[in-house]
Amino acid sequence: MSSGGAEPAQAEGQGGADSPGDPGGRAPVRDLQGPPVWQSSRPGSIYDYIRVASFSLGPDGRIEQWSERAEQMLGIPARYALGKDPVEAFVPRELRETGHRKVSEILDGREWTGLVPYRREVNGTADGLAEIYVMPSRNEDGERAAVCLVVDVRALRGIETDLAASQAVFGQSPMGFTLFGTDLKLLRVNERFASVFGGPASKYRGCGPHDFLPRSEAERMTAALRRVLDTGEPVAEMQLVGLPSEDEDRRRWSVSLYRLHGASGRPIGVAALAADVTGRRRAEREAASARRNLALLNEAGARIGNSLDLETTARTLLDVAVPQFCDLASVDLYQGLLSGDEAPPGMSDGSAELRRVAFASAVSDAPLATASGVLGDTPAPVAVGAVHRYPFNSPCAGALRTAQAQIIPARESDDGPELGAVVHSTLAVPMVARDTVVGLVQFSRTKGSEPFGERDTALAVELAARAAVCIDNARLYRREHERALILQRSLLPPGDPEAAGLDIACRYLPGTTATEVGGDWFDVIELPGHRTALVVGDVMGRGLRAAVAMGELRTAVRTLALLDLEPAEVLSALDEIARGLGGDGDGRSTARSARGRSGSAENTPEKGSARTADLSEVYLATCVYAVYDPVTRRCTIANAGHLPPVLVEDGEDALLLDVPPGMPLGVGGEPFEEIEVELPDGALLALYTDGLVESRHHPLDEGLRAFRTALSGADRPLEDACDHVLNALDTSHGEDDIALLMARVHGLPKDAVGDWNLAPEPRSVARARELARDQLTDWGLQDLVDTTELLVSELVTNALRHGHGEIRLRLLLDRSLVCEVWDADLAQPRRRRARDTDEGGRGLQLVGLLSEGWGSRRTPRGKTVWFELALPDGKSTAVDPAEALLSLF
């Protein structure tokens, strides 16, 4: 049976079993809204479901009439039934005697109702059970007959089962179950519906949606019911919000509607299934909130920490939080940590100075003015960049002190027009990184938003923790970056180095932007006689370790340069030093391993640890060392595995100088060669590292060709020429450090040089004083005449006393005055302290007292002793020679 059998259908013009107008179900045929009418269509009543059949018996007890429904229901055609004795035809043999007796009683005028087994075929066995209601009747002749109504017991049992099942589903369903009539009034509701909305189930019969739903929801429900009744299209899971009388919480329902039809197919109403989804909706909201939080954390992980800048990291945190998590937010960091102090005083109690580094708002551009002061005080707005303190008793200071997040509700007095009046909840979250509180982040929500809860607090703590680690990393990076810059700047010459007879320009670009330090270096070293040493080197490797190795080698170069050795000798000594730096105490074994790797020796590395191999590679370096003499305008160059210098003369193309390359420093075992090149005035000499001309994007030859092209015709100012070269070449590849040193040659003019040869005889001392006095007078340096005469006399006297051969005196004027005395003896002068009784031995002491500096160096045919005097500037007073001489005794 269909579900309609569980509740008798109420067709148009036919009262149902539960019709309000006739509880017995015997209402006259009438329209629900009008007067009684005749029903011309199928009845659509209970008889459609139980399928009642009929037949009649004549006075002789035989079947006179057999209805079509009896034929359909009992399965016996009329031709087998008409004129037959029903007992003989349809009742089993063993029951016929009883059957004949009952028929006789019926024909005697008695009504009878009972269960009769029957067989569907003649002479067949009983295969059915019928309930028969027999009513006596008379025919037109007045003879007794009978009218029989037959119902198949199986159909009745099916109806009973369906009714019981329908009642169980309707009454015991955990969902609200309602039936609406065609007038959209409730016909029936189950107990679940009544228990939620209050009262007995009978209370709601005849009610409409407006009687138990809010107005807006009732109108939606009514429209949906009418649409389902008119179109027959069901509505699934329509969401309705109700406010039950016994529950202050808003309840949410999911309602499904479908149209009911009678057996004739005519719509008889709408059934509604309503499930309480308040808990599910709450769980869905929590799940959605959790998904939003996870998405927010994912976004924070992807965006926060991409920069090593403190302010950028703080702003990124606020960009993630506003407006997805809160309406306003600010970040304060301890001022002491920003300035480099590890633990500023007062940090532990939260009273130390903080600096506002970032602020964001989705509602106003005004600074955040909440939760700053003690409870009850009016907080003052803090601008970005301002340094401030939180009072000791304030919630923010408490959060900093305890390292625990605090929820700060809005103050009741916040009723003014300021921004604090619209903020109703604030989270003060300390930023903790590596067990150290580095600052405080405040998240605020304005009125109209949900206040912060436990989930929000956990999310805020996680956001602050992630940002704190990134900010602390940025702080540590800034500190290390500053230290690295100090190291790098201390290892490189000043930005505008000066040299006699040369204009100098230089550039340094580190390959790693993280620390801005590397292994490339250049140097400009002043040598005696106004000569200048130009050095460019490249330690193999990158970063801080290469920079440390570079610093050691640069210091060694400067030390060796002060010995005034030839360039090849400087590189040989530097090679020994590099091998000692790169070894584990035995520089020779490390060097042999390095030579094996470079191909100069057997390719069999010595036994040693991985650390030894790493260090030997770090301290392998290339270097080019050039010494320029502005008097002779000649440059002596030696190379240790470095790219050759480039020379550009006026009107000529750039030329790579043919300098023997030699082996890199640290390899050892191979001598270095040097060449001497004459540089005319106006010539340009460029020394560089391979990072300038080599990258993975193009081969070395192509880079060198581009470099020479950029240098050719470089008649522009030297600084502009440097910038032009860097712009013309690919210097942004970040693969290696870049060092560029360019020098334009001017030389010393002839009138700035005094050069004389003196005979090795005593009268040459007086001659030397006379020549020096005349030369200084010509240069207008009368203030230096007395000091120069005294010191020249001492040097020439020493050359006569301790040397041999011809003596040479030379005076050089540039940024200072240099005097040189040459002789043919190889023994170097040594300064010693004379005793009070000694008559001599104080000459070099006097030279050291009166000069800016002095020294000696070997020459191919002897030695040169020199001293240097500062030119008078009108501000400082020169040392009196007499007082200096007396101070020695």
Side-chain angles (χ1 to χ4, degrees), residues 742-767:
M742 298 176 66
R744 178 163 282 139
V745 176
H746 295 297
L748 290 181
K750 292 182 178 181
D751 57 2
V753 179
D755 196 350
W756 306 275
N757 291 325
L758 302 174
E761 52 188 17
R763 62 179 181 178
S764 294
V765 177
R767 176 62 178 163

Side-chain angles (χ1 to χ4, degrees), residues 168 308 317 354 474 479 550 633 659 693 757 764 808 834 861:
L308 287 175
L317 167 64
L354 297 105
R479 185 185 66 184
M550 174 268 286
R633 292 172 173 77
V659 183
V693 296
N757 291 325
S764 294
R808 181 180 176 188
R861 291 190 297 272

Side-chain angles (χ1 to χ4, degrees), residues 368-510:
L368 185 66
T370 58
S372 298
V374 181
L375 190 63
D377 292 343
T378 301
V382 180
V384 175
V387 177
H388 65 102
R389 296 175 185 267
Y390 289 115
F392 181 81
N393 293 329
S394 65
C396 292
L400 290 169
R401 186 165 52 251
T402 62
Q404 298 293 324
Q406 294 194 18
I407 298 180
I408 308 171
R411 300 175 304 158
E412 295 298 330
S413 60
D414 279 341
D415 53 358
E418 68 275 5
L419 182 62
V422 301
V423 174
H424 77 103
S425 183
T426 298
L427 261 177
V429 185
M431 307 180 74
V432 183
R434 301 175 181 90
D435 297 328
T436 300
V437 179
V438 299
L440 182 77
V441 56
Q442 294 185 59
F443 303 102
S444 297
R445 288 179 178 174
T446 57
K447 295 177 180 178
S449 301
E450 293 184 2
F452 290 109
E454 293 183 1
R455 290 179 180 270
D456 297 322
T457 303
L459 176 60
V461 169
E462 180 65 22
L463 288 175
R466 294 192 180 195
V469 171
C470 296
I471 286 177
D472 194 52
N473 288 339
R475 178 184 65 84
L476 294 176
Y477 163 74
R478 176 180 290 184
R479 185 185 66 184
E480 297 304 319
H481 183 235
E482 291 175 353
R483 293 177 179 177
L485 286 180
I486 293 173
L487 171 64
Q488 184 71 53
R489 290 163 183 165
S490 66
L491 296 178
L492 294 176
D496 298 317
E498 296 181 353
L502 293 175
D503 290 336
I504 303 293
C506 51
R507 296 290 187 274
Y508 174 78
L509 300 176

Side-chain angles (χ1 to χ4, degrees), residues 42-86:
R42 296 181 59 185
S45 66
I46 186 63
Y47 300 105
D48 292 318
Y49 297 101
I50 62 175
R51 304 207 36 103
V52 178
S54 65
F55 65 92
S56 64
L57 299 179
D60 56 357
R62 295 182 180 273
I63 299 174
E64 286 187 344
Q65 294 180 340
W66 189 259
S67 67
E68 292 183 0
R69 180 165 290 186
E71 183 175 343
Q72 295 172 0
M73 185 179 70
L74 300 177
I76 300 175
R79 65 178 180 275
Y80 294 116
L82 293 175
K84 299 288 183 69
D85 183 348

Side-chain angles (χ1 to χ4, degrees), residues 4 117 282 420 482 496 542 556 595 645 651 848 860:
R282 185 181 299 112
E482 291 175 353
D496 298 317
R542 299 174 62 181
R595 285 208 312 276

